[in-house]
């Protein structure tokens, strides 16, 4: 993983500096270094004595024996900055740094179609900037936007960066395709001419042209031309299955009786009965295999060296400390990922389970100093503890470090002001604030680990963090899916799933990348693996969820049944609980706020 930045200026309007504001530039460099603490470099280029280009990159070394230093250049003057991971497809090489493989391919490209072909072959999260010596600057993000890339432009300069500088004009580069800034055309027009090559379709399979209108007029001095004859192949091979169930199908899958609808039931009995359906059992087995392989790619493809050993300056090839952590509430998504991760890591390597909880200053002052830990007994803390007990039962050979990250209101206010508010930009809603703050503290991994009645302070040395985003969007985990089902039946759910899948890139993943990477940690998303998404897209909706069943069973039914088969019986029946409520960060703030409102706390900062 890396931090990348391009600053491009008209020479006659520039003093060969990345930004006009020196303090802003220094701040940006500092934040980029935190994303990639293992290497940092700046290089400069000029194009036709008209444009001055500064390429800035930092590197978090996770793959390959030695770090592939960035920006990557060749003798012809081509430059690549890559922030991503190739986990599959023809470019995947397990023992190689993927930036080395990718740069060798891209530096040989002489035609637009060649570049498009290389980008189309990538499977995995990415954001990149690729400069060709003919004056073309290619840039973009993967179809889910799992890596952050921001842009801004004015009369004198064009900027791309993983994070924003101190100014507020930055916007997220849409994850709708790949962009190409043409410097020759820009020179003649005294503005920035950008060609856009869309994905062949959205993640749900819809034609990408439906979203292209949003690209126009992003910046007044950027002219975007959409390529009508060239598109990038969608890495999601299967479109969303839009079939609706017949009464006969629902009867075969056992529609719940009145006892279940009135909650007079045991979830285990329901799961056992559903598993008697051969079609459902087949889907669970196939899904389990797909998801397990996605987790395998993400826990095996890195050096297995913790932060401390990497920083020791010794030639360490691997270590026995924690190199993988999981954002862990003890809920359904995170506990299934943890259980599958156990299959694919050396049994001597611990796994950190990072569990976040917040407490208000009022409650902390009210409690006795010896009872402070009780203030942090949030819903997610309780399910987290129960979850680690279940993991120790199902996966007894693993050392599971349950890291209790306890954050006071005072610490929240200070870190939001000094660090988090900047990382969130341009995200700015109440939901962005609460989720972003919770994830930032959790990813920092600074807390306590308890052993019996004793505890010790602990700072997680993990450099890879598994995150469960993407499960709710594909498997009907949000309350709005049930609202749609109650009002518009199965057709309404399918429409909502389509919307969820196609807008995921613009809602949270770029924000989460900026937040998590600030700690020199890479986020990895098994539920958004291209093969997993393709498989779930291929399934009819009634195999993924059945909202005739009550909360705690019907939503994400396929994943619940997988958890049950893995032996995680209690977690299999846990209802969905958002991190802002489970961690109780939302209780600290204004209870009358709506998640979609512009956050006044961020606005004031």
């Amino acid at each position: 993983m890396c931090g990348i930045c391009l600053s491009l200026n008209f020479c006659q309007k520039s003093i060969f500096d990345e930004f006009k504001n020196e303090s802003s530039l220094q701040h940006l460099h500092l934040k980029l270094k935190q994303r990639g603490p293992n290497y940092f470099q700046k290089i400069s280029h000029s194009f036709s004595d008209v444009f001055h280009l500064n390429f800035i990159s930092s590197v978090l070394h996770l793959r390959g024996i030695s770090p592939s230093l960035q920006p990557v250049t060749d003798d012809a003057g081509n430059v690549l900055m890559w922030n991503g991971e190739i986990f599959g497809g023809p470019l995947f090489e397990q023992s190689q740094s993927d930036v080395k493989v990718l740069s060798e391919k891209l530096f040989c490209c002489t035609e637009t179609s060649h570049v498009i072909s290389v980008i189309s072959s990538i499977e995995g999260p990415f954001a990149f900037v690729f400069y060709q010596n003919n004056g073309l600057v290619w840039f973009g993000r993967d179809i889910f936007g799992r890596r952050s890339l921001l842009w801004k432009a004015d009369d004198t300069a064009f900027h791309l960066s993983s994070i924003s500088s101190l100014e507020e004009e930055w916007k997220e580069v849409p994850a709708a395709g790949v962009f190409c800034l043409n410097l020759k055309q820009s020179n003649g027009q005294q503005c920035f001419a950008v060609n856009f090559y869309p994905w062949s379709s959205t993640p749900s399979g819809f034609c990408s042209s439906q979203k292209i209108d949003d690209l126009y007029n992003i910046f007044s001095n950027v002219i975007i031309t959409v390529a009508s004859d060239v598109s990038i192949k969608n890495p999601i091979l299967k479109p969303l299955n839009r079939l609706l169930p017949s009464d006969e199908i629902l009867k075969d899958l056992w529609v719940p009786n009145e006892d279940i609808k009135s909650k007079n039931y045991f979830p285990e009995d329901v799961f056992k009965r559903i598993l008697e359906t051969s079609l459902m059992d087949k889907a669970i087995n196939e899904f389990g295999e797909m998801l397990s392989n996605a987790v395998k790619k993400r826990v095996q493809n890195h050096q297995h060296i913790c932060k401390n050993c990497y920083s020791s300056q010794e030639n360490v090839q691997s270590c026995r400390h924690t190199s993988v952590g999981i954002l862990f509430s003890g809920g359904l998504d995170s506990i299934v990922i943890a259980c599958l991760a156990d299959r694919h890591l050396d049994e001597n390597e611990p796994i950190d389970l990072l569990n976040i909880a917040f407490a208000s200053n009022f409650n902390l002052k009210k409690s006795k100093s010896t009872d402070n830990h009780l203030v942090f007994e949030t819903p997610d803390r309780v399910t987290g503890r129960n979850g680690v007990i279940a993991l120790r039962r199902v996966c007894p050979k693993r050392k599971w470090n349950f890291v209790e990250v306890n954050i006071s209101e005072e610490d929240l206010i200070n870190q939001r002001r000094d660090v988090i508010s900047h990382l969130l930009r341009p995200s700015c809603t109440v939901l962005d604030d609460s989720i972003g703050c919770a994830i930032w503290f959790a990813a920092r991994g600074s807390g306590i680990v308890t052993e019996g009645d004793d505890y010790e302070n602990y700072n997680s040395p993990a450099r890879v963090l598994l995150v469960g985003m993407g499960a709710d969007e594909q498997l009907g985990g949000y309350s709005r899916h049930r609202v749609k089902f109650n009002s518009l039946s199965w057709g309404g759910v399918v429409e909502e799933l389509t919307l969820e899948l196609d807008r995921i890139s613009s809602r949270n993943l770029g924000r989460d990348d900026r937040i998590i990477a600030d700690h020199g940690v890479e986020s990895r998303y098994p539920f958004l693996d291209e093969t997993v998404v393709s498989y779930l897209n291929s399934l009819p909706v009634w195999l993924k969820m059945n909202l005739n069943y009550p909360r705690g069973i019907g939503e994400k039914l396929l994943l619940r049944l997988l958890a049950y088969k893995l032996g995680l019986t209690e977690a299999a029946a846990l209802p969905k609980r958002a991190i802002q409520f489970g961690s109780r960060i939302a209780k600290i703030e204004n209870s009358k706020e709506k998640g979609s409102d512009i956050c006044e706390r961020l606005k004031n900062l």
Side-chain angles (χ1 to χ4, degrees):
M1 188 197 69
C2 304
I4 59 179
C5 178
L6 167 67
S7 174
L8 185 152
N9 302 273
F10 283 104
C11 291
Q12 69 271 26
K13 298 180 181 179
S14 168
I15 57 172
F16 295 93
D17 203 354
E18 286 90 340
F19 300 99
K20 297 175 184 177
N21 189 319
E22 185 64 25
S23 65
S24 174
L25 174 64
Q26 292 175 355
H27 181 264
L28 181 61
H29 286 188
L30 175 63
K31 303 310 289 184
L32 288 172
K33 288 178 181 177
Q34 289 181 214
R35 290 179 61 90
N38 305 137
Y39 185 78
F40 181 80
Q41 181 176 240
K42 297 184 293 181
I43 65 173
S44 297
H45 273 276
S46 291
F47 179 78
S48 298
D49 296 324
V50 177
F51 294 103
H52 184 75
L53 299 92
N54 285 296
F55 300 89
I56 309 162
S57 186
S58 63
V59 177
L60 174 66
H61 176 210
L62 289 174
R63 295 170 71 175
I65 296 174
S66 58
S68 291
L69 309 183
Q70 294 199 50
V72 183
T73 62
D74 66 1
D75 294 338
N78 299 303
V79 182
L80 173 66
M81 295 190 295
W82 166 258
N83 176 28
E85 296 286 356
I86 298 176
F87 286 127
L91 296 182
F92 174 69
E93 293 188 23
Q94 188 159 347
S95 60
Q96 281 270 31
S97 166
D98 51 16
V99 70
K100 183 177 186 297
V101 176
L102 185 63
S103 61
E104 289 173 354
K105 293 288 185 181
L106 286 174
F107 289 170
C108 293
C109 293
T110 57
E111 303 289 339
T112 292
S113 60
H114 299 164
V115 177
I116 296 297
S117 176
V118 173
I119 301 303
S120 295
S121 66
I122 297 171
E123 291 183 20
F126 66 81
F128 78 99
V129 177
F130 169 45
Y131 170 73
Q132 289 183 290
N133 59 10
N134 59 1
L136 298 180
V137 181
W138 297 84
F139 59 97
R141 305 162 68 199
D142 70 84
I143 198 166
F144 292 119
R146 288 166 286 187
R147 294 291 176 259
S148 172
L149 189 64
L150 309 179
W151 59 352
K152 77 184 191 81
D154 54 36
D155 293 337
T156 63
F158 183 95
H159 303 296
L160 295 163
S161 180
S162 300
I163 55 172
S164 69
S165 56
L166 293 175
E167 298 95 343
E168 297 179 354
E169 298 88 354
W170 294 84
K171 299 179 181 180
E172 282 197 328
V173 174
V178 169
F179 299 82
C180 183
L181 171 60
N182 190 317
L183 297 185
K184 290 181 180 178
Q185 292 181 7
S186 301
N187 178 29
Q189 300 181 33
Q190 286 297 302
C191 65
F192 297 104
V194 175
N195 294 318
F196 172 65
Y197 303 90
W199 296 107
S200 56
S201 59
T202 67
S204 72
F206 271 127
C207 177
S208 290
S209 62
Q210 294 180 350
K211 300 182 72 176
I212 286 175
D213 289 343
D214 298 337
L215 298 176
Y216 296 115
N217 302 318
I218 290 180
F219 299 106
S220 60
N221 60 324
V222 174
I223 299 176
I224 295 179
T225 302
V226 178
S228 58
D229 57 341
V230 181
S231 63
I232 304 175
K233 182 182 176 183
N234 184 348
I236 311 303
L237 301 180
K238 299 286 187 179
L240 186 69
N241 189 323
R242 304 178 66 82
L243 290 177
L244 304 181
S246 64
D247 291 340
E248 183 178 351
I249 287 173
L250 292 177
K251 184 178 179 180
D252 290 341
L253 292 174
W254 187 48
V255 176
N257 58 29
E258 292 304 317
D259 283 343
I260 291 176
K261 290 180 179 179
S262 63
K263 297 187 179 182
N264 184 21
Y265 66 94
F266 293 101
E268 288 189 34
D269 295 336
V270 178
F271 293 142
K272 286 179 183 177
R273 178 72 182 271
I274 297 174
L275 284 170
E276 293 174 359
T277 307
S278 59
L279 186 62
M280 180 64 81
D281 192 53
K282 178 175 181 289
I284 295 160
N285 292 333
E286 290 175 345
F287 173 55
E289 182 179 355
M290 293 281 185
L291 186 60
S292 180
N293 286 333
V295 172
K296 179 181 179 180
K297 296 175 194 175
R298 284 155 180 80
V299 299
Q300 290 189 352
N301 284 294
H302 62 102
Q303 296 170 306
H304 301 272
I305 302 175
C306 75
K307 288 180 181 178
N308 300 330
C309 289
Y310 191 98
S311 302
S312 67
Q313 304 300 319
E314 297 178 8
N315 187 23
V316 179
Q317 297 301 315
S318 64
C319 72
R320 293 295 187 182
H321 308 129
T322 304
S323 61
V324 174
I326 299 173
L327 201 63
F328 189 77
S329 66
L332 180 64
D333 309 342
S334 60
I335 200 170
V336 168
I337 288 175
C339 188
L340 295 177
D342 175 73
R343 294 181 177 182
H344 305 298
L345 277 176
D346 187 294
E347 66 181 33
N348 294 313
E349 184 175 333
I351 296 178
D352 285 353
L353 306 174
L354 308 178
N355 184 274
I356 181 72
F358 292 85
S360 67
N361 290 339
F362 174 78
N363 287 335
L364 283 169
K365 289 177 181 177
K366 189 171 64 172
S367 69
K368 298 178 181 178
S369 59
T370 56
D371 295 332
N372 269 0
H373 67 284
L374 297 176
V375 181
F376 294 101
E377 289 294 297
T378 63
D380 277 1
R381 180 58 47 81
V382 174
T383 56
R385 286 207 183 101
N386 291 337
V388 75
I389 291 171
L391 287 172
R392 287 169 179 159
R393 184 188 72 248
V394 175
C395 313
K397 295 182 179 180
R398 177 77 51 198
K399 182 181 180 184
W400 300 97
N401 294 322
F402 183 66
V403 186
E404 300 181 23
V405 181
N406 298 328
I407 305 300
S408 68
E409 181 179 357
E410 181 179 5
D411 198 12
L412 169 62
I413 291 171
N414 291 337
Q415 294 293 353
R416 175 194 284 125
R417 179 193 64 230
D418 297 338
V419 180
I420 302 172
S421 61
H422 163 71
L423 295 169
L424 287 172
R425 293 174 188 163
S427 303
C428 58
T429 67
V430 169
L431 201 60
D432 291 322
D433 174 55
S434 57
I435 294 177
C437 288
I439 292 176
W440 187 88
F441 282 107
R444 187 174 65 170
S446 179
I448 61 173
V449 173
T450 58
E451 291 288 344
D453 294 331
D454 298 325
Y455 73 90
E456 63 176 347
N457 294 325
Y458 184 83
N459 290 305
S460 174
R463 303 168 74 222
V464 169
L465 183 63
L466 300 184
V467 187
M469 277 72 165
D472 292 305
E473 288 82 357
Q474 298 180 79
L475 296 169
Y478 292 122
S479 59
R480 53 183 174 268
H481 294 116
R482 191 171 290 277
V483 171
K484 284 288 185 180
F485 181 78
N486 291 337
S487 60
L488 298 172
S489 191
W490 292 96
V493 174
V494 171
E495 292 304 318
E496 191 68 21
L497 291 175
T498 301
L499 179 63
E500 298 281 6
L501 198 57
D502 287 347
R503 71 182 179 184
I504 193 171
S505 65
S506 62
R507 287 182 62 90
N508 50 21
L509 295 178
R511 174 201 69 201
D512 295 344
D513 176 65
R514 293 190 294 278
I515 289 292
I516 292 172
D518 190 54
H519 303 293
V521 176
E522 180 173 272
S523 54
R524 295 183 174 182
Y525 305 92
F527 287 107
L528 291 175
D529 181 89
E530 286 82 353
T531 57
V532 171
V533 178
S534 293
Y535 178 73
L536 290 177
N537 273 1
S538 73
L539 293 180
V541 62
W542 63 85
L543 291 181
K544 294 184 281 191
M545 68 206 72
N546 188 341
L547 300 179
N548 285 306
Y549 292 104
R551 189 166 177 258
I553 291 185
E555 71 278 12
K556 296 194 286 192
L557 178 62
L558 186 67
L559 186 58
R560 294 184 185 282
L561 293 169
L562 175 59
Y564 180 78
K565 290 192 75 170
L566 291 172
L568 305 167
T569 53
E570 183 179 344
L574 286 175
K576 161 73 178 178
R577 186 169 54 229
I579 190 173
Q580 64 270 31
F581 303 117
S583 68
R584 287 201 175 140
I585 187 174
K587 276 206 166 187
I588 294 177
E589 311 300 353
N590 181 1
S591 60
K592 295 182 180 180
E593 293 176 325
K594 295 181 180 179
S596 58
D597 291 345
I598 298 298
C599 182
E600 291 298 322
R601 292 178 296 280
L602 296 177
K603 188 176 179 181
N604 293 335
L605 291 172

